[in-house]
Amino acid sequence: MSTIINNIEIIKAKATKINDVDFNNLKFGHVFSDHMLECNFKDGKWAAPKVVPYQAITLDPSSKIFHYGQSVFEGMKAYKDANEDVWLFRPLDNFNRLNISSKRLAIPELPENYFMDGLKTLLEVDKEWVPKNEGSSLYIRPFVFASGNGFHASPADEYKFIICTAPSGAYFSGEVRVLIEETYSRSANGGVGYAKAGGNYAGQFYPTQLAIEKGYQQVIWTDDNTHEYIEEAGAMNIFVRINDTLITGPTSDRILDGITRKSIIELAQAEGIAVEIRKLSVLEVVEAAKNGTLKEMFGAGTAAVISPISGFGYKDTDYDLPKLDDTYANYLKKRITDIQTNKAEDPFGWRYKI
Amino acid sequence: MSTIINNIEIIKAKATKINDVDFNNLKFGHVFSDHMLECNFKDGKWAAPKVVPYQAITLDPSSKIFHYGQSVFEGMKAYKDANEDVWLFRPLDNFNRLNISSKRLAIPELPENYFMDGLKTLLEVDKEWVPKNEGSSLYIRPFVFASGNGFHASPADEYKFIICTAPSGAYFSGEVRVLIEETYSRSANGGVGYAKAGGNYAGQFYPTQLAIEKGYQQVIWTDDNTHEYIEEAGAMNIFVRINDTLITGPTSDRILDGITRKSIIELAQAEGIAVEIRKLSVLEVVEAAKNGTLKEMFGAGTAAVISPISGFGYKDTDYDLPKLDDTYANYLKKRITDIQTNKAEDPFGWRYKI
């Protein structure tokens, strides 16, 4: 038996799994809510999405997702405030970016109402799954992948758009030390680096493993031609504070247009912090580390929000960042999460009530 | 009930689908044989592979294949000769390249016997599916993908290695016109271009669609930094004949080490054809087209074997290749397919009997 909310059909799970979940000890993205949104592309069009019980996906072995990497995704979070209201953060930006990614991967773009109405309905149905604990949130994973069949390296004729949600704690725990990459690369000029395409992530795993073996947690990618300029950290954009100026690289076809990144830029500018969006060379950062003007580095992304970097490695030398009492990272993280969780005014109109 | 051949357990399909297949009208990779090989990685090791009925794969929505593009594959063909014997072509090279790809994608490498014994057993079980018609073959698709769960951008803890087979006709039909790419790119220095990684293919679909809209069938990729040097065609390596010399670019971390490519090089050299393996600029090809020294261009890959190119587009100009009676492409294609199908001696030891 099904019901309809926001024009979306809902098929409810027979029982809830919520009582099995320890909301005080949530890892990131390991426990999934009772329902998911499912929407299928077939015969040249997207069918209406449905909320269905969280369930396995069955595919032919020749489905193109297994062979040709045709997949894109988004990362979002829902927060619950003191009044039990549920909030999203700039969800239309995720929707628009999903379609930008899809276009580059030759995946059919989604209608806005299928995404937004589907997401709202899913969150209404699984409202109880949005955590209230400080630092926790409901991580939301919209994704689209090629489900059509055939061993021919060409776009699939069928796709699935799914939104799953996972009550989650922090993405990184503790300090993050990063390695500035000199050999491997994340993306090419004219490539898919600006898209949240599955293949962009798999390509980072091996170089990241090598960095982990050397004692770092993340890689900071540099341009593939010279390795002289800082790009992004794969799951995060990178900010560097030299003296009191916050610097981040411009977006490009190699760099993801991060929603946390652009929110930090707007927020910092509104707070009177000097922000420079420009190419940032590794040498400039190393020089600043040596002469004491490098004050902070941090990553910015939906999963980690703002992730302070305690030090970096480059050409077999380690550089430690100073331990400051008042950091931009902590200040901006509090500002942004206060807006996200409805603890502060939202002069930017970023918050979106479910 | 199961049987054992070559140490591989076999669970037979209850009925065969072979009588539904028109072997005289085979497309490429659209019909699949009765069985497949399946092998699972779990708890840090690969379990013994099994031959099982060709069947759907069921995965959790959080399986990393849907999100992070962690997948690699191979392409191979089996041929049946006049004596009904079945032959592979350089299968160990495919096995080795699969592991090279896997390593770069942080996927656990496979033991050689699981791959080779599994493949041999699968082909013995589905021997009837190997076509005998001229120009047809059993296309073989080994692939490995991340089946483990969780929304964390890190390597999966579980994987599936599967081999499917598909009786197939020609990959391309008719002439191939190609567009030399000036904007988009296939791979980065220090990236995954040399691996048969799923994501390398999805990234090509959109630029290829744009080329198809302009009247071409394929894109010839150039280096992502200058777009001045010819790399590969995505599913094929590229050869250019200027006067009587055959030229192909060197392999690199951006270019796949094609098995057909290296076989053509060895074969041409053995036949006394001058072969140059060196960087090849677009300008050199354009100049040769203009002054009449450009005799041939062709792609080389397992699926298409050798695919003659009838012309190319570059900077809004079309260049036609001459129509020669005796081409290297036709000569080398006949030589290589005669070896593959046991119609000629195999001085190189490439053929492998099942």
Side-chain angles (χ1 to χ4, degrees):
Chain A
M1 216 189 69
S2 69
T3 55
I4 308 273
I5 301 180
N6 307 322
N7 287 316
I8 305 288
E9 185 182 352
I10 300 161
I11 300 164
K12 281 260 211 167
K14 286 190 181 123
T16 180
K17 302 171 294 187
I18 202 165
N19 298 319
D20 302 337
V21 179
D22 179 1
F23 277 78
N24 293 314
N25 289 293
L26 291 168
K27 290 200 285 182
F28 191 94
H30 275 261
V31 166
F32 308 103
S33 311
D34 285 330
H35 299 88
M36 67 186 202
L37 187 80
E38 188 176 33
C39 185
N40 294 305
F41 182 92
K42 196 176 173 177
D43 300 328
K45 64 174 195 292
W46 287 106
K50 292 179 188 178
V51 172
V52 298
Y54 185 90
Q55 61 193 270
I57 297 166
T58 299
L59 295 166
D60 194 80
S62 76
S63 280
K64 294 200 178 190
I65 182 61
F66 298 128
H67 306 275
Y68 305 124
Q70 213 186 353
S71 69
V72 296
F73 72 91
E74 277 297 322
M76 312 170 71
K77 285 178 172 175
Y79 303 89
K80 194 176 275 178
D81 67 17
N83 296 323
E84 303 274 316
D85 285 328
V86 173
W87 299 90
L88 293 171
F89 186 70
R90 309 184 79 170
L92 274 170
D93 292 3
N94 292 97
F95 165 71
N96 289 324
R97 192 173 61 185
L98 185 67
N99 272 350
I100 289 169
S101 298
S102 287
K103 184 173 180 185
R104 181 62 182 85
L105 276 291
I107 293 172
E109 294 168 56
L110 278 162
E112 184 181 315
N113 63 326
Y114 283 9
F115 183 95
M116 289 302 298
D117 294 345
L119 176 59
K120 276 188 282 186
T121 310
L122 179 65
L123 293 178
E124 286 172 31
V125 171
D126 277 341
K127 186 181 176 184
E128 292 306 310
W129 286 85
V130 185
K132 273 185 288 192
N133 316 31
E134 180 83 21
S136 293
S137 60
L138 187 73
Y139 183 73
I140 301 167
R141 171 56 60 87
F143 60 108
V144 190
F145 67 90
S147 54
N149 302 336
F151 296 147
H152 204 287
S154 55
D157 57 356
E158 296 185 12
Y159 297 83
K160 280 183 185 290
F161 162 52
I162 290 173
I163 306 181
C164 296
T165 67
S168 293
Y171 191 81
F172 290 113
S173 49
E175 294 198 325
V176 176
R177 292 187 75 82
V178 297
L179 181 66
I180 297 180
E181 183 62 51
E182 297 160 57
T183 306
Y184 295 100
S185 303
R186 178 181 169 276
S187 63
N189 299 300
V192 303
Y194 69 96
K196 277 190 91 75
N200 285 338
Y201 293 80
Q204 300 180 53
F205 291 168
Y206 176 67
T208 302
Q209 281 181 335
L210 297 180
I212 289 170
E213 286 166 15
K214 290 179 183 169
Y216 305 95
Q217 282 81 52
Q218 287 273 297
V219 168
I220 293 195
W221 300 101
T222 49
D223 66 288
D224 82 305
N225 187 33
T226 67
H227 294 292
E228 287 175 10
Y229 292 93
I230 285 176
E231 307 231 298
E232 57 157 280
M236 304 190 293
N237 296 105
I238 289 293
F239 285 81
V240 172
R241 174 182 171 188
I242 296 179
N243 290 316
D244 287 339
T245 301
L246 204 51
I247 307 163
T248 192
T251 56
S252 72
D253 60 2
R254 298 185 310 276
I255 299 179
L256 190 79
D257 183 10
I259 293 165
T260 309
R261 173 189 173 277
K262 67 184 181 185
S263 303
I264 287 170
I265 291 169
E266 289 179 68
L267 207 46
Q269 286 170 333
E271 304 279 343
I273 295 171
V275 180
E276 293 179 6
I277 301 166
R278 61 168 172 85
K279 286 180 75 173
L280 179 65
S281 74
V282 182
L283 277 187
E284 183 180 351
V285 176
V286 168
E287 277 307 307
K290 285 180 179 167
N291 67 28
T293 56
L294 180 66
K295 303 296 184 194
E296 294 181 55
M297 291 174 70
F298 57 85
T302 294
V305 191
I306 288 179
S307 185
I309 291 166
S310 62
F312 67 90
Y314 181 64
K315 288 199 191 295
D316 297 322
T317 303
D318 265 353
Y319 300 87
D320 286 318
L321 274 94
K323 294 185 196 308
L324 305 180
D325 287 332
D326 295 312
T327 64
Y328 285 176
N330 287 343
Y331 178 73
L332 293 168
K333 183 171 184 179
K334 181 167 177 6
R335 284 287 292 128
I336 204 167
T337 53
D338 279 356
I339 291 172
Q340 289 170 330
T341 56
N342 194 24
K343 286 181 186 153
E345 287 298 305
D346 175 20
F348 307 96
W350 289 338
R351 211 156 48 210
Y352 183 99
K353 190 174 179 178
I354 292 298
Chain B
M1 214 189 71
S2 69
T3 54
I4 308 272
I5 301 179
N6 307 323
N7 287 318
I8 306 287
E9 184 182 353
I10 300 161
I11 300 165
K12 281 261 213 167
K14 289 191 177 118
T16 179
K17 303 170 293 187
I18 202 164
N19 298 318
D20 303 336
V21 178
D22 179 0
F23 277 78
N24 293 315
N25 289 292
L26 290 170
K27 291 199 286 183
F28 191 93
H30 275 260
V31 166
F32 309 103
S33 311
D34 285 331
H35 298 88
M36 66 187 203
L37 187 80
E38 188 176 33
C39 185
N40 294 306
F41 182 92
K42 196 176 172 177
D43 300 327
K45 63 174 194 292
W46 287 105
K50 291 180 187 181
V51 172
V52 298
Y54 185 88
Q55 62 193 272
I57 297 166
T58 299
L59 295 167
D60 193 81
S62 76
S63 280
K64 294 200 177 191
I65 182 61
F66 297 128
H67 306 274
Y68 304 123
Q70 214 186 353
S71 69
V72 296
F73 72 92
E74 276 298 320
M76 313 171 70
K77 286 176 171 175
Y79 303 91
K80 195 175 274 176
D81 68 15
N83 296 325
E84 304 273 315
D85 285 328
V86 173
W87 300 89
L88 294 170
F89 186 71
R90 310 185 77 168
L92 273 170
D93 292 3
N94 292 98
F95 164 72
N96 288 325
R97 191 173 61 184
L98 186 66
N99 272 349
I100 289 169
S101 298
S102 288
K103 185 174 179 185
R104 182 61 182 85
L105 275 292
I107 292 171
E109 295 169 55
L110 279 160
E112 184 180 316
N113 63 326
Y114 282 10
F115 183 95
M116 290 302 297
D117 294 346
L119 176 59
K120 277 188 283 187
T121 309
L122 178 66
L123 292 178
E124 286 172 29
V125 171
D126 277 340
K127 187 181 176 184
E128 293 307 311
W129 286 86
V130 186
K132 273 184 286 192
N133 315 32
E134 180 83 22
S136 294
S137 60
L138 187 72
Y139 183 72
I140 301 167
R141 172 57 59 88
F143 60 108
V144 190
F145 68 90
S147 53
N149 302 337
F151 296 148
H152 205 285
S154 55
D157 56 355
E158 295 185 13
Y159 296 85
K160 280 184 184 289
F161 162 52
I162 290 173
I163 305 181
C164 297
T165 68
S168 293
Y171 191 82
F172 290 113
S173 49
E175 293 197 326
V176 176
R177 291 187 74 81
V178 296
L179 180 66
I180 298 181
E181 183 62 51
E182 298 159 55
T183 305
Y184 295 100
S185 303
R186 179 182 168 276
S187 62
N189 299 300
V192 303
Y194 69 96
K196 275 189 93 74
N200 285 338
Y201 294 79
Q204 299 180 55
F205 292 168
Y206 177 67
T208 302
Q209 280 181 335
L210 297 179
I212 288 170
E213 285 166 15
K214 292 179 183 169
Y216 306 93
Q217 283 81 52
Q218 285 274 298
V219 168
I220 294 197
W221 300 103
T222 50
D223 67 288
D224 82 305
N225 187 31
T226 68
H227 294 292
E228 287 175 9
Y229 292 92
I230 286 176
E231 306 233 298
E232 58 158 281
M236 304 190 293
N237 296 106
I238 290 293
F239 285 81
V240 173
R241 174 183 171 189
I242 296 178
N243 290 316
D244 288 339
T245 300
L246 203 51
I247 307 163
T248 194
T251 56
S252 72
D253 60 2
R254 298 185 309 278
I255 300 179
L256 190 79
D257 183 11
I259 293 165
T260 309
R261 172 189 174 279
K262 67 184 182 185
S263 302
I264 287 169
I265 292 168
E266 289 179 69
L267 206 46
Q269 284 170 334
E271 303 280 345
I273 296 171
V275 179
E276 293 179 7
I277 301 166
R278 61 169 171 84
K279 284 179 79 171
L280 179 65
S281 74
V282 182
L283 278 186
E284 183 180 352
V285 176
V286 168
E287 277 307 308
K290 284 179 178 168
N291 68 28
T293 56
L294 180 66
K295 303 296 184 194
E296 292 181 58
M297 291 174 70
F298 57 84
T302 294
V305 190
I306 288 179
S307 185
I309 291 166
S310 62
F312 67 90
Y314 180 65
K315 289 198 190 295
D316 296 321
T317 304
D318 264 354
Y319 300 86
D320 286 320
L321 275 96
K323 293 185 197 308
L324 305 179
D325 287 332
D326 295 313
T327 64
Y328 285 175
N330 287 342
Y331 179 72
L332 292 168
K333 183 172 183 177
K334 184 169 176 1
R335 284 287 292 126
I336 203 167
T337 53
D338 280 356
I339 291 172
Q340 287 169 329
T341 56
N342 194 24
K343 288 180 186 154
E345 287 298 305
D346 175 19
F348 308 96
W350 290 337
R351 213 159 44 214
Y352 183 98
K353 191 174 180 178
I354 292 299

